[in-house]
Each structure stands twice: as structure tokens, then as C-alpha cells.
Amino acid sequence: MSHSLSRPRRSVLFVPATNEKAIAKLSQLACDAVIFDLEDAVLPEHKAAARERLAKFFAERPEGGREYVVRINSLASPWGADDLAAAGGWASDGVVLPKVETARDLLEANDVLDEADAPETLKLWAMIETPRALLNLPAIAELGRDPSARLSCLIAGLNDLAKDTGVKVTPDRRYLRPWLMQMVLCARAGGIDMLDSVSNDFRDLDAFGLECGEAAAMGFSGKSIIHPAQIGPANAAFSPPAEALVEARAVVDAFARPENVSAGVISLDGKMVERLHLAEAERLLARAVQLESLRH
């Protein structure tokens, strides 16, 4: 899988599958992806109705490049198997598996989808939200290297992780940073996207913007969000900065000069620039073009 060519996932909005008003407004929002939640946001007595609501949505799925994925209930729960069977037959882009703890959890879900002849385009996303998941993260993420495993994205679930470990969640997330960096490292080793956890206080957009900026600096692909007001700050934080694009264009132009076409290393503005910097510059410029196309 080529991470550089993956679909943008700067802002990934969780929407309860029972919230018809929110679903009706999705066409007006600029989020890159939507996760319809059948799990935590839906009471047990509403699970079946929520599934029916999503079946109707996907039967009339709107056009456009946005991803629509479904977070199902745990396969160990009374609703998980029915959720997975239903999602495999919908025109969805992916299935989010909650509380994934081992690679086997993903492989078993993948087997169910394969046996149901779900399209290869239907991908699996995994919530990383338990201590055991962190310990098994290298093996989980490595499945991203196997196209037949369907794994496309990991999502940090810090609320559950903090609850299970007792780690204090401070505004700067200082005690969680080692785990966050481990998640990014493993996801990149597996060639897949890594989304930062939700921010619970959707009213404090200044703090949210800072959190997004730090997550982008850590290497996260984007942010999972819970409110439309968070879309703009997330999109801004995970888009290539204007100054980075100027620098990237300068690198590409420098290597395009006749005297540098065959060079492995060049000097640009007093700095040593290698071919690996050229590849990164080309990736940034391609991402900018991709994001610009989403606006039209």
C-alpha cells in the first residue's frame, strides 16, 4: 500500500447511526470521512433500528470522494456478527472494529467478509484502545502490508486506554505521548494511516487546534472528531503548510535543472538536499493537488 497516495483522512467525523438530523447534514460538511457509529453511541434497544437506518443511507449513498465507514459492535457482543454481515453488504468503504487486541481479531473479521464475498474495496479500520492492543501493535499494523488482510487505518482510542491504565490525561497529553508515537511508528511500518484520538471538549477550539498541530507534528494522518466545529481546525492542521509547499517546489525545480538531473545530492540555499528530500517534496505537492481537487 502506498501511504503517499492514500485518501485524505484529515478529519474523520463520528456520527451516531441513530442521529438522522446529523446524517442529513453530512452533505454540507467538509470532513474527509465519516464513521457511522453502531457501538458506543447507540443504546442496546436501538441497535437494530440503527442498522436499518444505515442500510437506507447506503442504498441511496451520495456521490463524491468522501469515505463512509461503519464502526460495528464487538464481534463478541450480541450485535457484532449481524453488524459485520450487514456492513459487508452495504456500499460502504470500510468497517471499524472496536477494541482490536490481536492480529487474529482482524483476520477473523476479514475471513467473515471474504466468505460473504464482500468487495475487495471494503477495508478494515482498527481501534487501538486497550493495553493489550498496544503490546500487540507491531503484529496488528504489519497486516497493512498484506492487501488480502484489508487493513487500511488505525485509530487511537485514548478514552478507553486511559480508563484501563489509570494514566492521567492532561491537556498536553504528556503521559500519553510515548504510546501515541508508538502508534504512529507501527502504522508507518505497516504502510497504513494512523488517526489521532477524539478530543472530548468540542467547545474549546483553541485547545483542539493545538492538539491537532501536535498530532500532525507527531506524524498522524488526521484526527477523529465528534463535532462539525472541529472539521476546519483538523483540515488546516493536517494539510501541507504554505511554506512547506514553497520549499517543496524549490526542491523539485532544483532537481529538474539539467545539471542536477543525474545528481544524488545537491546544494540548495546552503543546505544539502538528497533524493529522499525530492521524494518527500513530490509527495507534499501531490497531496496539495489532491486536497485542492476535493474543494471543487
Side-chain angles (χ1 to χ4, degrees), residues 264-286:
V265 181
I266 64 173
S267 175
L268 180 63
D269 297 330
K271 298 179 181 179
M272 182 186 72
V273 181
E274 302 179 68
R275 288 273 165 182
L276 63 89
H277 299 117
L278 173 62
E280 175 64 11
E282 291 173 336
R283 184 193 70 81
L284 274 178
L285 293 172

Side-chain angles (χ1 to χ4, degrees), residues 118-159:
E120 294 181 1
T121 54
L122 182 69
K123 301 303 181 181
L124 289 173
W125 298 25
M127 297 289 303
I128 305 302
E129 49 190 339
T130 69
R132 193 177 179 205
L134 278 177
L135 292 177
N136 292 318
L137 194 51
I140 291 171
E142 185 64 20
L143 291 177
R145 294 290 174 187
D146 180 1
S148 67
R150 299 178 185 262
L151 183 61
S152 177
C153 186
L154 303 178
I155 307 174
L158 297 187
N159 286 332

